[in-house]
Amino acid sequence: MSALATSAVIAVLAALAGLLVGLLHFWSLRLVADRLVAGQMSAVVLQMARLVGLALFLYLCTWFGALALLGAGVGVMCGRAVVLRRKNAGTP
């Protein structure tokens, strides 16, 4: 397998992983917002965990190169779009 094909496979895998991370990251945003509105300070810890988790995922992707990082970013944004679309459609 050539280097380009290997990079492409890694980019696709990073995009799929990014989709899962993006779904989790943006879905948990609602939990943070609900807890903040309720006055629970545990939301701050959850928010920090969300940000650290996303940063660690993207940092891990940098080890596999620019295409992997780009694929991961695309996956995260696709996860965001799915969460927003479900929210706008009225699905919990």
Side-chain angles (χ1 to χ4, degrees):
M1 188 180 289
S2 71
L4 183 60
T6 303
S7 294
V9 168
I10 290 173
V12 169
L13 292 174
L16 291 174
L19 177 65
L20 294 176
V21 169
L23 286 171
L24 178 65
H25 179 76
F26 290 104
W27 173 79
S28 64
L29 181 60
R30 180 175 180 169
L31 297 176
V32 170
D34 290 343
R35 286 183 182 187
L36 281 175
V37 168
Q40 298 175 357
M41 291 310 293
S42 64
V44 175
V45 175
L46 181 57
Q47 176 65 14
M48 293 302 292
R50 288 178 62 241
L51 294 175
V52 167
L54 182 61
L56 285 175
F57 170 69
L58 293 174
Y59 177 71
L60 176 69
C61 288
T62 63
W63 288 9
F64 294 101
L67 284 179
L69 183 59
L70 183 62
V74 168
V76 169
M77 290 297 103
C78 287
R80 176 185 175 270
V82 169
V83 169
L84 288 177
R85 182 164 299 184
R86 289 186 59 152
K87 179 61 181 156
N88 289 337
T91 327

